[in-house]
Amino acid sequence: KRWVLATSNAGKLSELNDLLGDSGIGLVTQGSLGVIDAEETGLTFVENALIKARHAAAATGLPALADDSGICVDALDGAPGLYSARYAGTHGDAQANIDKLLEALRDVPDAQRSARFYCVLVLLRHANDPQPLIAEGVWEGRILHARQGQGGFGYDPVFLDLARGQSAAELPAALKNRISHRGQALATLQARLAALAGR
Ligand code: ITT
């Protein structure tokens, strides 16, 4: 089976490919099919994921998977949240986004640096599918005072996984996938699909 992945984010693509492993589902990116990014005009992660999946399904005729995600910091009232990819102004500039986040939290002590990654996955079987499969995942942690680690993408170098005492960028990719917001969301989505298939 082939699904179009409604993303231009290479980090998401790599993680979702790893997570789908030998499931029999092959992801093809919308970019490789000549589909340009949808405008993310929603006010929630769910809305944006639906917008992206519908756009990709309509343009390609394939089932479409979309991931809308971000990092929510309590001391910043949930920011960057929905705007995580463009927090510092330029879409996808992880260096600038992290710099801005560290600056915003400069004088905030550890006890008040709690944060969570949030991910919504939407699977549309076709563009007019009235019953999208929707799954979410949450990963709790804390914002570090400086970058640690080289792996992952986005905010991973400054996101501390409390249970392991390492940043998301220090965790082996397979471990990050097992515990992350995205890993949890995909596991839930796959369980739903399996339940549907078994009906
Ligand atoms: P697409 O819309 O093309 O999928 P995007 O990067 O614009 O890509 P989002 O609007 O969902 O996607 O923004 C998600 C941002 O949240 C992403 O750019 C990262 O900065 C951050 N993010 C999400 N998941 C992350 C993860 O696992 N590790 C680090 N940062 C993450």
Side-chain angles (χ1 to χ4, degrees), residues 102-193:
L102 291 177
E103 180 59 26
L105 295 175
R106 193 152 54 116
D107 301 318
V108 179
D110 283 353
Q112 288 156 41
R113 297 175 78 94
S114 54
R116 62 207 47 78
F117 275 126
Y118 184 67
C119 175
V120 172
L121 290 175
V122 163
L123 177 67
L124 283 176
R125 270 76 51 101
H126 54 84
N128 300 316
D129 185 350
Q131 292 179 292
L133 287 171
I134 301 176
E136 64 175 25
V138 180
W139 186 13
E140 297 283 345
R142 193 171 80 205
I143 305 300
L144 290 160
H145 292 267
R147 293 168 172 83
Q148 282 179 209
Q150 303 296 324
F153 71 97
Y155 295 87
D156 282 346
V158 292
F159 182 81
L160 179 72
D161 176 59
L162 290 171
R164 291 156 194 85
Q166 289 183 300
S167 81
E170 292 176 303
L171 300 176
L175 175 56
K176 181 192 169 190
N177 264 342
R178 198 155 66 238
I179 62 180
S180 76
H181 50 318
R182 184 163 297 104
Q184 295 177 44
L186 192 72
T188 303
L189 193 81
Q190 286 179 299
R192 297 244 175 86
L193 270 177

Side-chain angles (χ1 to χ4, degrees), residues 6-9 12 15 30 37 40 45 48 52 67-71 81-82 84-86 91-92 94 97 117-118 139 152-156 168 176 180-182:
T7 190
S8 300
N9 183 314
K12 292 182 183 179
E15 292 186 6
Q30 61 178 15
D37 289 356
E40 295 180 41
F45 292 101
N48 279 342
K52 291 190 279 190
D67 168 321
D68 204 60
S69 46
I71 190 164
L82 204 64
S84 295
R86 43 187 147 144
H91 195 110
N97 287 339
F117 275 126
Y118 184 67
W139 186 13
F153 71 97
Y155 295 87
D156 282 346
K176 181 192 169 190
S180 76
H181 50 318
R182 184 163 297 104

